[in-house]
Amino acid sequence: MQELPPLLAAKLPLAMNRLGVFGHSMGGYGALKLALRHPGVFQSVSAFAPIAAPMHCPWGEKAFTGYLGADRQAWAAHDPSALMAAQATVAYPQGILIDQGLADQFLALQLLPERFEAACAQVGQPLTLRRHPGYDHSYYFISTFIEDHLAHHARVLAAAGAAKVSIK
C-alpha cells in the first residue's frame, strides 16, 4: 500500500481516486483485507473463494502464528471477518461481490465465507455472496464468473466518476 500505488501512479495514467481490488483464494483474502484496512483507497472490492476468516482456519492459524506470534488479538487486524465486524460505518455502500464454488475442496475447513457474510450483516455492509453448485477452486470457476466481477467494478467505479466501461 505504501510502495505499489505511488509507483503505478507515476508510471501509468491511472485515476488513483477510483481504484478497485479483487483476488482469488489467498489473493481474495488480500483484497478483502486491504480494502478493509484502507477504507477510502478502493471504491470497489470483490473476491473469488477468499480465505475469509483466517483466524478460524488451519491455514490462517499456521500463517498468523508464524508471522504474528501466538497473540490471537493481534491477528484480528489481518482477518477480513474480524475487520468487517469492527467497521463503524459501511465502507462499500455499492456492495462487495464474492463468488464461491460449493464443490471447492477448501470451502468447509479453510475459506469460511459464512463468517464474512455474518460480519457484513452485523454492520449493514451490502454483500453479494453467490454460491455456485458444481464449481471448485479452479481456473474454470474463475473464468466462468470473471466477467461479472469486471462488470461489478466497472459499475461501482463509473458511479464514483470513472469513464463508462463496456464489458462484452
Side-chain angles (χ1 to χ4, degrees):
M1 288 305 301
Q2 295 172 9
E3 192 174 318
L4 188 57
L7 178 64
L8 291 173
K11 300 290 183 183
L12 299 169
L14 301 176
M16 297 305 288
N17 62 335
R18 292 187 300 257
L19 299 175
V21 62
F22 81 101
H24 169 244
S25 192
M26 180 61 77
Y29 154 76
L32 294 174
K33 174 187 159 183
L34 287 174
L36 293 168
R37 285 184 56 133
H38 304 281
V41 172
F42 301 101
Q43 286 66 53
S44 61
V45 60
S46 71
F48 289 96
I51 300 169
M55 290 177 61
H56 303 283
C57 77
W59 283 342
E61 290 174 353
K62 180 179 179 182
F64 284 177
T65 299
Y67 288 110
L68 302 171
D71 179 7
R72 293 182 71 90
Q73 287 195 269
W75 298 2
H78 302 278
D79 182 298
S81 295
L83 288 165
M84 180 58 73
Q87 295 291 305
T89 61
V90 171
Y92 296 93
Q94 299 290 326
I96 295 172
L97 173 61
I98 295 177
D99 278 302
Q100 177 61 62
L102 293 178
D104 189 320
Q105 66 270 36
F106 305 115
L107 177 59
L109 190 59
Q110 302 286 10
L111 303 179
L112 310 175
E114 67 279 359
R115 287 184 175 265
F116 190 76
E117 183 178 41
C120 286
Q122 175 186 322
V123 300
Q125 170 61 58
L127 170 69
T128 301
L129 174 53
R130 304 187 309 181
R131 295 169 169 93
H132 303 282
Y135 286 92
D136 61 12
H137 204 76
S138 69
Y139 168 80
Y140 179 70
F141 164 59
I142 297 167
S143 68
T144 302
F145 300 105
I146 189 67
E147 186 174 330
D148 296 343
H149 284 252
L150 295 173
H152 166 77
H153 289 276
R155 177 184 54 79
V156 173
L157 295 174
K164 298 282 183 186
V165 176
S166 175
I167 306 295
K168 295 184 181 188

